[in-house]
């Protein structure tokens, strides 16, 4: 499931900003040293994750929804990390093959040219 498009515009970042978080019946403000557009995007992603969790679980208790959402997000992060490691290992293997192929070709060329001298 993909995230909805953001409806906010990016503004130049000029230092700490307050972000009001109003979700699952709780409302509070935090101050963060991040770009406000980035903070808004993270909050939008979290709201989407909470709505998705409520949709698939049918849970109504805000604490349970928050805990399950956090768990599912951690699961997603770990899966992305594992995929990233697998992708890096495949890239390393490909690089090793390319380097070995180049070394072989260089050696063959050197051997061919050495025999001609």
């Amino acid at each position: 499931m993909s995230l909805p498009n953001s409806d906010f515009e990016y503004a130049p970042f000029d230092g700490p900003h307050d972000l009001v978080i109003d979700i699952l019946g709780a409302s509070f403000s935090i101050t963060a040293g991040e770009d406000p557009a980035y903070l808004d995007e993270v909050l939008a992603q979290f709201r989407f994750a909470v709505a998705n969790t409520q949709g698939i679980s049918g849970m109504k208790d805000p604490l349970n929804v928050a805990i399950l959402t956090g768990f599912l997000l951690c699961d997603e992060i770990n899966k992305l990390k594992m995929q990233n490691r697998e992708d890096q290992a495949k890239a390393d293997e490909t690089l090793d093959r390319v380097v070995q192929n180049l070394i072989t070709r260089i050696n063959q060329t050197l051997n061919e040219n050495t025999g001609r001298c």
Side-chain angles (χ1 to χ4, degrees), residues 65-77:
V65 171
I67 291 169
L68 183 55
T69 300
F71 179 81
L72 293 173
L73 289 172
C74 287
D75 176 54
E76 189 172 332
I77 288 168

Side-chain angles (χ1 to χ4, degrees), residues 33-54:
E34 297 285 346
D35 185 330
Y38 171 77
L39 295 173
D40 287 341
E41 182 69 21
V42 170
L43 184 55
Q45 290 173 346
F46 184 69
R47 284 187 174 131
F48 182 78
V50 166
N52 190 44
T53 299
Q54 287 174 316

Side-chain angles (χ1 to χ4, degrees), residues 79-108:
K79 286 178 180 174
L80 288 171
K81 284 180 182 179
M82 288 179 356
Q83 183 62 49
N84 212 13
R85 281 187 223 119
E86 290 172 9
D87 292 347
Q88 185 61 50
K90 287 177 186 175
D92 290 346
E93 288 174 16
T94 300
L95 182 59
D96 286 346
R97 277 195 310 272
V98 168
V99 169
Q100 288 301 321
N101 189 12
L102 284 171
I103 290 170
T104 300
R105 290 173 62 191
I106 290 169
N107 284 337
Q108 287 172 347

